Amino acid sequence: MKKYVCSVCGYVYDPEKGIPEEGIAPGTAFEDLPDSFVCPVCGVGKEDFEPEA
Amino acid sequence: MKPVKITDNIYWVGAVDWNLRNFHGYLTQRGSTYNAYLVIDDKITLIDTVKEGFTGEMLERIAGVIDPSKIDYIISNHSEMDHSGSLPEMLMRAPGAEIIASANGEKNLKEHFKWDCKVRAVKAGDTLNTGKYTFTFVPEPMVHWPDSMVTYLEAEKILFSNDAFGQHLATSERFDDEYSPDIIMEEARKYYANIVLPYSPQVQKALNDLSGLKIETIATSHGIIWRRNISRIIEAYKQWSSNEVQKKALIVYDTMWHSTEKMAETIAAAFSEQGYNYRILSLQQNHISDIMTELLEAEYICVGSPTLNNNMLPTVAAFLTYMRGLAPKGRKAMAFGSYGWGGQSVKQVHEILESCGYQMLESAGIKFRPDDEALKKIRESLIKAI
């Protein structure tokens, strides 16, 4: 599973870890995040994330 | 207006905003400053600028050292208008100057000013040599915007920290050894609670990035420059960014006919009984930005609203919106309020506090005026729950 980077603030979503405090279980692929997902740091949506280079 | 010398080659050339009282909703009772710094070397560097409207004051200070047209570089650590507002005029005054910013800063400046001019984008560890000085750039995204950056000048052990470690404080004194340390810390604390708090994890990363640097001066973009109490402000940032709480409860409320107020007093009494420090904060008398400062290390946040037209009072909604954005973590919370019929406000307040991820105590809603029996019940059940 690929990590995704927020193009606005640089936050990295790591699917291995998920974001348990936001209710996203470890092992959740970026593609499987709900459309309502927002960057936990700066608040932008999934469309502003890019696969990690 | 004169420049203020920091070292032989470095000057404060900013501006003092004595009359500022409202910084987009943050009550700035002591005004503020917009700090810009001029560094004289073979090449001349200006670090940040000031808010539009204060450009003349900055130019007068720069002219006290050199002809402003001789500036070679302008480092823009942060593109927000209180630091970038003078950039368009500075580019006219110093047409040869090159702007240097983080990659996000470059994007922001171009989008904001609708510019097609050249901005040199730098990344972590990039340097700028101006003769005998070498500046090192350290982008610190989300402390407190995506573009935020700090600049370090090793030869003088100065960190140009931009908004980090700043305070809204208008003074003629420029250094922390010239002014009341307690007032500086109080304003730094208010600044953290109202600007920096949501980005506490990024602050911890930034503190880690900076921990290897020898720093003798922290030249902030607002307020006083730190040179005596550097360890005090760094320790405070470590503590504030940890979301560590103390045995302290805030009881924040508004009231229509004193019933919710009576409940607030009863809730405070229960915390007092359990050995907690507490603050009873009416939203009619306290500004939400002052309440945030009190909330910085409070373990409990109890919010009370009567029901008005099936809703919480607008003052309470404003506070909750502001607090939710600033996102203090790991707190315990409670909703309360009196009502005449529907009583929707208590549930609404409860839901918002719960959405912040707080551990919730049982809500307390009372129809019409709370009598002694009802208040006693709230007090006793709360004492058990705390």
Short mmCIF file of all heavy atoms in Angstrom, two decimals, chain B residues 58-115:
data_model
loop_
_atom_site.label_atom_id
_atom_site.label_comp_id
_atom_site.label_asym_id
_atom_site.label_seq_id
_atom_site.Cartn_x
_atom_site.Cartn_y
_atom_site.Cartn_z
N MET B 58 8.53 51.38 8.08
CA MET B 58 9.64 50.46 7.86
C MET B 58 10.71 51.10 6.96
O MET B 58 11.92 51.00 7.25
CB MET B 58 9.13 49.16 7.21
CG MET B 58 10.25 48.16 6.91
SD MET B 58 9.63 46.65 6.13
CE MET B 58 9.23 47.26 4.51
N LEU B 59 10.25 51.77 5.90
CA LEU B 59 11.21 52.39 4.96
C LEU B 59 12.06 53.46 5.66
O LEU B 59 13.25 53.59 5.39
CB LEU B 59 10.46 53.00 3.78
CG LEU B 59 10.06 52.01 2.69
CD1 LEU B 59 9.05 52.63 1.75
CD2 LEU B 59 11.30 51.53 1.92
N GLU B 60 11.42 54.21 6.56
CA GLU B 60 12.15 55.25 7.30
C GLU B 60 13.25 54.61 8.14
O GLU B 60 14.37 55.12 8.21
CB GLU B 60 11.14 55.98 8.21
CG GLU B 60 11.61 57.34 8.65
CD GLU B 60 10.57 58.00 9.57
OE1 GLU B 60 9.34 57.84 9.34
OE2 GLU B 60 11.01 58.67 10.52
N ARG B 61 12.92 53.46 8.74
CA ARG B 61 13.94 52.78 9.56
C ARG B 61 15.05 52.20 8.69
O ARG B 61 16.23 52.29 9.04
CB ARG B 61 13.28 51.68 10.42
CG ARG B 61 12.43 52.24 11.53
CD ARG B 61 12.13 51.22 12.62
NE ARG B 61 11.65 51.90 13.81
CZ ARG B 61 10.36 52.08 14.14
NH1 ARG B 61 9.42 51.58 13.37
NH2 ARG B 61 10.04 52.74 15.22
N ILE B 62 14.66 51.62 7.55
CA ILE B 62 15.68 51.07 6.65
C ILE B 62 16.61 52.21 6.20
O ILE B 62 17.84 52.07 6.21
CB ILE B 62 15.04 50.38 5.43
CG1 ILE B 62 14.26 49.14 5.87
CG2 ILE B 62 16.11 49.99 4.39
CD1 ILE B 62 13.43 48.49 4.77
N ALA B 63 15.99 53.35 5.85
CA ALA B 63 16.77 54.48 5.35
C ALA B 63 17.73 55.03 6.40
O ALA B 63 18.71 55.70 6.07
CB ALA B 63 15.83 55.58 4.86
N GLY B 64 17.45 54.73 7.68
CA GLY B 64 18.38 55.12 8.74
C GLY B 64 19.66 54.30 8.72
O GLY B 64 20.63 54.62 9.42
N VAL B 65 19.67 53.22 7.94
CA VAL B 65 20.87 52.37 7.84
C VAL B 65 21.46 52.45 6.42
O VAL B 65 22.65 52.71 6.25
CB VAL B 65 20.55 50.89 8.16
CG1 VAL B 65 21.83 50.06 8.21
CG2 VAL B 65 19.78 50.76 9.47
N ILE B 66 20.61 52.19 5.43
CA ILE B 66 21.08 52.19 4.04
C ILE B 66 19.97 52.74 3.12
O ILE B 66 18.81 52.83 3.52
CB ILE B 66 21.43 50.77 3.52
CG1 ILE B 66 20.27 49.81 3.82
CG2 ILE B 66 22.74 50.26 4.04
CD1 ILE B 66 19.80 49.07 2.66
N ASP B 67 20.33 53.00 1.91
CA ASP B 67 19.35 53.37 0.89
C ASP B 67 18.53 52.10 0.55
O ASP B 67 19.11 51.08 0.14
CB ASP B 67 20.14 53.88 -0.34
CG ASP B 67 19.25 54.14 -1.54
OD1 ASP B 67 18.05 53.81 -1.49
OD2 ASP B 67 19.79 54.66 -2.54
N PRO B 68 17.21 52.12 0.75
CA PRO B 68 16.40 50.91 0.52
C PRO B 68 16.57 50.29 -0.87
O PRO B 68 16.39 49.08 -1.05
CB PRO B 68 14.95 51.39 0.72
CG PRO B 68 15.07 52.61 1.58
CD PRO B 68 16.39 53.25 1.23
N SER B 69 16.96 51.10 -1.85
CA SER B 69 17.10 50.54 -3.20
C SER B 69 18.29 49.58 -3.29
O SER B 69 18.43 48.85 -4.27
CB SER B 69 17.28 51.67 -4.23
OG SER B 69 18.54 52.28 -4.07
N LYS B 70 19.13 49.57 -2.27
CA LYS B 70 20.32 48.70 -2.30
C LYS B 70 20.05 47.28 -1.78
O LYS B 70 20.94 46.44 -1.76
CB LYS B 70 21.44 49.33 -1.46
CG LYS B 70 21.90 50.69 -1.99
CD LYS B 70 23.31 51.01 -1.56
CE LYS B 70 23.80 52.35 -2.05
NZ LYS B 70 23.52 52.63 -3.48
N ILE B 71 18.80 47.02 -1.37
CA ILE B 71 18.48 45.68 -0.86
C ILE B 71 18.60 44.65 -2.00
O ILE B 71 18.05 44.84 -3.08
CB ILE B 71 17.06 45.65 -0.24
CG1 ILE B 71 17.06 46.50 1.04
CG2 ILE B 71 16.61 44.23 0.07
CD1 ILE B 71 15.68 46.75 1.61
N ASP B 72 19.35 43.57 -1.72
CA ASP B 72 19.56 42.54 -2.74
C ASP B 72 18.59 41.37 -2.59
O ASP B 72 18.20 40.75 -3.57
CB ASP B 72 20.99 41.99 -2.64
CG ASP B 72 22.02 43.06 -2.92
OD1 ASP B 72 22.13 43.46 -4.09
OD2 ASP B 72 22.70 43.52 -1.97
N TYR B 73 18.28 41.02 -1.33
CA TYR B 73 17.42 39.86 -1.08
C TYR B 73 16.33 40.23 -0.08
O TYR B 73 16.58 40.95 0.89
CB TYR B 73 18.22 38.70 -0.48
CG TYR B 73 19.34 38.22 -1.34
CD1 TYR B 73 20.67 38.45 -0.98
CD2 TYR B 73 19.09 37.51 -2.52
CE1 TYR B 73 21.73 38.01 -1.77
CE2 TYR B 73 20.14 37.06 -3.31
CZ TYR B 73 21.45 37.31 -2.94
OH TYR B 73 22.48 36.88 -3.72
N ILE B 74 15.13 39.71 -0.31
CA ILE B 74 14.07 39.81 0.70
C ILE B 74 13.63 38.38 1.02
O ILE B 74 13.12 37.66 0.15
CB ILE B 74 12.86 40.62 0.20
CG1 ILE B 74 13.31 42.04 -0.22
CG2 ILE B 74 11.80 40.71 1.31
CD1 ILE B 74 12.20 42.89 -0.82
N ILE B 75 13.90 37.97 2.26
CA ILE B 75 13.47 36.64 2.69
C ILE B 75 12.05 36.76 3.22
O ILE B 75 11.79 37.53 4.14
CB ILE B 75 14.42 36.09 3.78
CG1 ILE B 75 15.83 35.91 3.21
CG2 ILE B 75 13.88 34.76 4.33
CD1 ILE B 75 16.89 35.60 4.26
N SER B 76 11.14 36.00 2.61
CA SER B 76 9.75 36.01 3.07
C SER B 76 9.50 34.69 3.80
O SER B 76 9.25 33.66 3.19
CB SER B 76 8.81 36.14 1.87
OG SER B 76 7.48 35.93 2.28
N ASN B 77 9.59 34.74 5.13
CA ASN B 77 9.42 33.52 5.92
C ASN B 77 7.97 33.04 5.93
O ASN B 77 7.70 31.88 6.21
CB ASN B 77 9.88 33.75 7.36
CG ASN B 77 11.39 33.67 7.52
OD1 ASN B 77 12.03 32.79 6.94
ND2 ASN B 77 11.96 34.58 8.29
N HIS B 78 7.05 33.98 5.66
CA HIS B 78 5.62 33.66 5.79
C HIS B 78 4.85 34.67 4.96
O HIS B 78 5.07 35.87 5.07
CB HIS B 78 5.25 33.74 7.28
CG HIS B 78 3.81 33.48 7.61
ND1 HIS B 78 3.00 32.67 6.86
CD2 HIS B 78 3.05 33.92 8.65
CE1 HIS B 78 1.80 32.63 7.42
NE2 HIS B 78 1.80 33.38 8.50
N SER B 79 3.93 34.16 4.13
CA SER B 79 3.29 35.05 3.15
C SER B 79 2.05 35.76 3.68
O SER B 79 1.40 36.49 2.94
CB SER B 79 2.91 34.23 1.91
OG SER B 79 2.03 33.19 2.28
N GLU B 80 1.68 35.55 4.95
CA GLU B 80 0.49 36.24 5.47
C GLU B 80 0.71 37.75 5.40
O GLU B 80 1.82 38.26 5.52
CB GLU B 80 0.19 35.78 6.91
CG GLU B 80 -1.22 36.13 7.34
CD GLU B 80 -1.66 35.41 8.62
OE1 GLU B 80 -0.85 34.70 9.22
OE2 GLU B 80 -2.84 35.57 8.99
N MET B 81 -0.41 38.48 5.25
CA MET B 81 -0.33 39.91 4.90
C MET B 81 0.37 40.79 5.92
O MET B 81 0.84 41.88 5.59
CB MET B 81 -1.76 40.43 4.67
CG MET B 81 -2.41 39.86 3.44
SD MET B 81 -1.52 40.32 1.96
CE MET B 81 -2.07 42.01 1.79
N ASP B 82 0.40 40.36 7.18
CA ASP B 82 1.07 41.21 8.17
C ASP B 82 2.58 41.17 8.01
O ASP B 82 3.29 41.98 8.61
CB ASP B 82 0.65 40.84 9.61
CG ASP B 82 0.67 39.35 9.88
OD1 ASP B 82 0.66 38.56 8.93
OD2 ASP B 82 0.68 38.98 11.07
N HIS B 83 3.08 40.22 7.20
CA HIS B 83 4.52 40.14 6.94
C HIS B 83 4.88 40.39 5.48
O HIS B 83 6.02 40.70 5.17
CB HIS B 83 5.07 38.78 7.37
CG HIS B 83 4.64 38.41 8.76
ND1 HIS B 83 5.01 39.14 9.85
CD2 HIS B 83 3.83 37.43 9.22
CE1 HIS B 83 4.45 38.62 10.94
NE2 HIS B 83 3.74 37.59 10.57
N SER B 84 3.89 40.22 4.61
CA SER B 84 4.19 40.36 3.18
C SER B 84 3.55 41.63 2.59
O SER B 84 3.76 41.94 1.43
CB SER B 84 3.66 39.15 2.41
OG SER B 84 2.24 39.14 2.43
N GLY B 85 2.78 42.34 3.40
CA GLY B 85 2.00 43.47 2.89
C GLY B 85 2.82 44.52 2.17
O GLY B 85 2.35 45.17 1.23
N SER B 86 4.08 44.70 2.59
CA SER B 86 4.92 45.74 1.97
C SER B 86 5.71 45.22 0.77
O SER B 86 6.45 45.99 0.16
CB SER B 86 5.96 46.25 2.97
OG SER B 86 5.35 46.61 4.16
N LEU B 87 5.59 43.92 0.47
CA LEU B 87 6.44 43.37 -0.61
C LEU B 87 6.25 44.09 -1.95
O LEU B 87 7.26 44.43 -2.59
CB LEU B 87 6.18 41.87 -0.78
CG LEU B 87 6.97 40.94 0.15
CD1 LEU B 87 6.58 39.49 -0.12
CD2 LEU B 87 8.46 41.12 -0.01
N PRO B 88 5.00 44.35 -2.40
CA PRO B 88 4.88 45.01 -3.71
C PRO B 88 5.61 46.36 -3.74
O PRO B 88 6.33 46.65 -4.70
CB PRO B 88 3.37 45.19 -3.87
CG PRO B 88 2.77 44.10 -3.03
CD PRO B 88 3.69 43.97 -1.85
N GLU B 89 5.46 47.16 -2.66
CA GLU B 89 6.14 48.45 -2.66
C GLU B 89 7.65 48.28 -2.56
O GLU B 89 8.42 49.01 -3.20
CB GLU B 89 5.63 49.35 -1.53
CG GLU B 89 6.29 50.71 -1.63
CD GLU B 89 5.60 51.82 -0.85
OE1 GLU B 89 4.47 51.63 -0.39
OE2 GLU B 89 6.25 52.88 -0.72
N MET B 90 8.09 47.29 -1.78
CA MET B 90 9.54 47.07 -1.66
C MET B 90 10.16 46.68 -3.00
O MET B 90 11.29 47.05 -3.30
CB MET B 90 9.84 45.98 -0.61
CG MET B 90 9.64 46.41 0.83
SD MET B 90 10.42 47.99 1.25
CE MET B 90 12.14 47.59 0.99
N LEU B 91 9.39 45.94 -3.80
CA LEU B 91 9.92 45.55 -5.12
C LEU B 91 10.03 46.76 -6.04
O LEU B 91 10.88 46.78 -6.93
CB LEU B 91 9.04 44.47 -5.75
CG LEU B 91 9.21 43.08 -5.16
CD1 LEU B 91 8.34 42.09 -5.90
CD2 LEU B 91 10.67 42.62 -5.19
N MET B 92 9.18 47.76 -5.81
CA MET B 92 9.31 49.00 -6.59
C MET B 92 10.51 49.80 -6.12
O MET B 92 11.24 50.38 -6.90
CB MET B 92 8.03 49.82 -6.49
CG MET B 92 6.90 49.25 -7.31
SD MET B 92 5.54 50.41 -7.48
CE MET B 92 4.75 50.24 -5.91
N ARG B 93 10.70 49.83 -4.79
CA ARG B 93 11.82 50.60 -4.21
C ARG B 93 13.17 49.94 -4.47
O ARG B 93 14.19 50.60 -4.56
CB ARG B 93 11.65 50.71 -2.70
CG ARG B 93 10.35 51.35 -2.30
CD ARG B 93 10.53 52.81 -2.11
NE ARG B 93 9.27 53.44 -1.72
CZ ARG B 93 9.18 54.66 -1.25
NH1 ARG B 93 10.26 55.38 -1.10
NH2 ARG B 93 8.01 55.15 -0.94
N ALA B 94 13.15 48.59 -4.48
CA ALA B 94 14.40 47.85 -4.69
C ALA B 94 14.18 46.87 -5.83
O ALA B 94 14.04 45.67 -5.62
CB ALA B 94 14.80 47.12 -3.41
N PRO B 95 14.10 47.40 -7.07
CA PRO B 95 13.69 46.54 -8.19
C PRO B 95 14.64 45.38 -8.46
O PRO B 95 14.25 44.39 -9.08
CB PRO B 95 13.66 47.51 -9.39
CG PRO B 95 14.24 48.80 -8.94
CD PRO B 95 14.36 48.79 -7.45
N GLY B 96 15.86 45.48 -7.96
CA GLY B 96 16.81 44.37 -8.18
C GLY B 96 16.70 43.28 -7.14
O GLY B 96 17.39 42.26 -7.25
N ALA B 97 15.85 43.46 -6.15
CA ALA B 97 15.83 42.50 -5.04
C ALA B 97 15.20 41.17 -5.47
O ALA B 97 14.23 41.15 -6.23
CB ALA B 97 15.05 43.07 -3.86
N GLU B 98 15.80 40.09 -4.97
CA GLU B 98 15.25 38.76 -5.24
C GLU B 98 14.51 38.29 -4.00
O GLU B 98 15.03 38.39 -2.88
CB GLU B 98 16.39 37.79 -5.56
CG GLU B 98 15.89 36.41 -5.91
CD GLU B 98 17.02 35.42 -6.21
OE1 GLU B 98 18.20 35.78 -6.00
OE2 GLU B 98 16.72 34.29 -6.63
N ILE B 99 13.30 37.78 -4.20
CA ILE B 99 12.52 37.27 -3.05
C ILE B 99 12.84 35.79 -2.86
O ILE B 99 12.93 35.03 -3.83
CB ILE B 99 11.02 37.47 -3.28
CG1 ILE B 99 10.72 38.97 -3.36
CG2 ILE B 99 10.20 36.83 -2.17
CD1 ILE B 99 9.30 39.29 -3.65
N ILE B 100 13.00 35.42 -1.60
CA ILE B 100 13.30 34.03 -1.25
C ILE B 100 12.22 33.55 -0.30
O ILE B 100 11.90 34.22 0.68
CB ILE B 100 14.69 33.93 -0.60
CG1 ILE B 100 15.75 34.39 -1.60
CG2 ILE B 100 14.97 32.50 -0.12
CD1 ILE B 100 17.12 34.60 -1.00
N ALA B 101 11.64 32.39 -0.61
CA ALA B 101 10.57 31.85 0.23
C ALA B 101 10.59 30.33 0.13
O ALA B 101 11.28 29.77 -0.71
CB ALA B 101 9.21 32.38 -0.23
N SER B 102 9.81 29.67 1.00
CA SER B 102 9.65 28.22 0.86
C SER B 102 8.86 27.94 -0.43
O SER B 102 8.30 28.87 -1.02
CB SER B 102 8.88 27.67 2.07
OG SER B 102 7.55 28.16 2.04
N ALA B 103 8.81 26.67 -0.83
CA ALA B 103 8.08 26.33 -2.06
C ALA B 103 6.61 26.74 -1.94
O ALA B 103 6.03 27.30 -2.87
CB ALA B 103 8.20 24.83 -2.35
N ASN B 104 6.02 26.49 -0.77
CA ASN B 104 4.63 26.92 -0.56
C ASN B 104 4.54 28.44 -0.50
O ASN B 104 3.53 29.02 -0.90
CB ASN B 104 4.07 26.32 0.74
CG ASN B 104 3.53 24.91 0.51
OD1 ASN B 104 2.99 24.60 -0.54
ND2 ASN B 104 3.69 24.06 1.51
N GLY B 105 5.57 29.08 0.04
CA GLY B 105 5.60 30.54 0.09
C GLY B 105 5.61 31.12 -1.32
O GLY B 105 4.91 32.10 -1.61
N GLU B 106 6.39 30.52 -2.19
CA GLU B 106 6.45 30.98 -3.58
C GLU B 106 5.05 30.91 -4.20
O GLU B 106 4.57 31.87 -4.82
CB GLU B 106 7.42 30.10 -4.40
CG GLU B 106 7.49 30.50 -5.85
CD GLU B 106 8.10 29.43 -6.76
OE1 GLU B 106 8.22 28.27 -6.33
OE2 GLU B 106 8.45 29.77 -7.91
N LYS B 107 4.39 29.76 -4.00
CA LYS B 107 3.03 29.59 -4.55
C LYS B 107 2.08 30.63 -4.00
O LYS B 107 1.33 31.27 -4.73
CB LYS B 107 2.49 28.19 -4.17
CG LYS B 107 2.72 27.13 -5.24
CD LYS B 107 1.81 25.94 -5.02
CE LYS B 107 2.33 25.04 -3.90
NZ LYS B 107 1.61 23.78 -3.72
N ASN B 108 2.12 30.79 -2.66
CA ASN B 108 1.20 31.73 -2.01
C ASN B 108 1.40 33.16 -2.51
O ASN B 108 0.44 33.87 -2.82
CB ASN B 108 1.42 31.74 -0.50
CG ASN B 108 0.77 30.56 0.19
OD1 ASN B 108 0.28 29.66 -0.47
ND2 ASN B 108 0.79 30.57 1.50
N LEU B 109 2.66 33.59 -2.56
CA LEU B 109 2.95 34.98 -2.94
C LEU B 109 2.47 35.24 -4.37
O LEU B 109 1.85 36.26 -4.66
CB LEU B 109 4.44 35.28 -2.82
CG LEU B 109 4.98 35.33 -1.39
CD1 LEU B 109 6.50 35.41 -1.39
CD2 LEU B 109 4.40 36.52 -0.61
N LYS B 110 2.73 34.28 -5.25
CA LYS B 110 2.34 34.46 -6.65
C LYS B 110 0.82 34.48 -6.79
O LYS B 110 0.27 35.30 -7.52
CB LYS B 110 2.95 33.37 -7.52
CG LYS B 110 4.45 33.59 -7.71
CD LYS B 110 5.05 32.61 -8.68
CE LYS B 110 6.48 33.04 -8.99
NZ LYS B 110 7.18 32.05 -9.81
N GLU B 111 0.15 33.59 -6.06
CA GLU B 111 -1.32 33.56 -6.14
C GLU B 111 -1.91 34.79 -5.48
O GLU B 111 -2.85 35.40 -5.99
CB GLU B 111 -1.87 32.30 -5.46
CG GLU B 111 -1.68 31.04 -6.29
CD GLU B 111 -2.23 29.81 -5.59
OE1 GLU B 111 -3.12 29.93 -4.74
OE2 GLU B 111 -1.74 28.71 -5.90
N HIS B 112 -1.37 35.16 -4.33
CA HIS B 112 -1.96 36.26 -3.57
C HIS B 112 -1.81 37.58 -4.31
O HIS B 112 -2.76 38.35 -4.44
CB HIS B 112 -1.33 36.36 -2.19
CG HIS B 112 -1.98 37.41 -1.35
ND1 HIS B 112 -3.06 37.14 -0.55
CD2 HIS B 112 -1.75 38.73 -1.23
CE1 HIS B 112 -3.46 38.25 0.03
NE2 HIS B 112 -2.68 39.24 -0.36
N PHE B 113 -0.59 37.85 -4.77
CA PHE B 113 -0.33 39.15 -5.39
C PHE B 113 -0.54 39.13 -6.90
O PHE B 113 -0.33 40.13 -7.57
CB PHE B 113 1.10 39.60 -5.09
CG PHE B 113 1.31 40.00 -3.64
CD1 PHE B 113 2.09 39.23 -2.80
CD2 PHE B 113 0.72 41.14 -3.12
CE1 PHE B 113 2.29 39.60 -1.46
CE2 PHE B 113 0.91 41.52 -1.80
CZ PHE B 113 1.69 40.75 -0.96
N LYS B 114 -0.97 37.95 -7.44
CA LYS B 114 -1.13 37.80 -8.90
C LYS B 114 0.16 38.21 -9.61
O LYS B 114 0.15 39.02 -10.53
CB LYS B 114 -2.31 38.64 -9.43
CG LYS B 114 -3.57 38.59 -8.60
CD LYS B 114 -4.24 37.22 -8.69
CE LYS B 114 -5.48 37.16 -7.80
NZ LYS B 114 -5.72 35.87 -7.20
N TRP B 115 1.27 37.69 -9.09
CA TRP B 115 2.58 38.06 -9.59
C TRP B 115 3.07 37.09 -10.64
O TRP B 115 2.78 35.91 -10.56
CB TRP B 115 3.61 37.96 -8.47
CG TRP B 115 3.78 39.18 -7.64
CD1 TRP B 115 3.35 40.43 -7.89
CD2 TRP B 115 4.46 39.22 -6.38
NE1 TRP B 115 3.71 41.26 -6.87
CE2 TRP B 115 4.39 40.56 -5.93
CE3 TRP B 115 5.13 38.27 -5.59
CZ2 TRP B 115 4.96 40.96 -4.73
CZ3 TRP B 115 5.68 38.68 -4.40
CH2 TRP B 115 5.60 40.01 -3.98
#
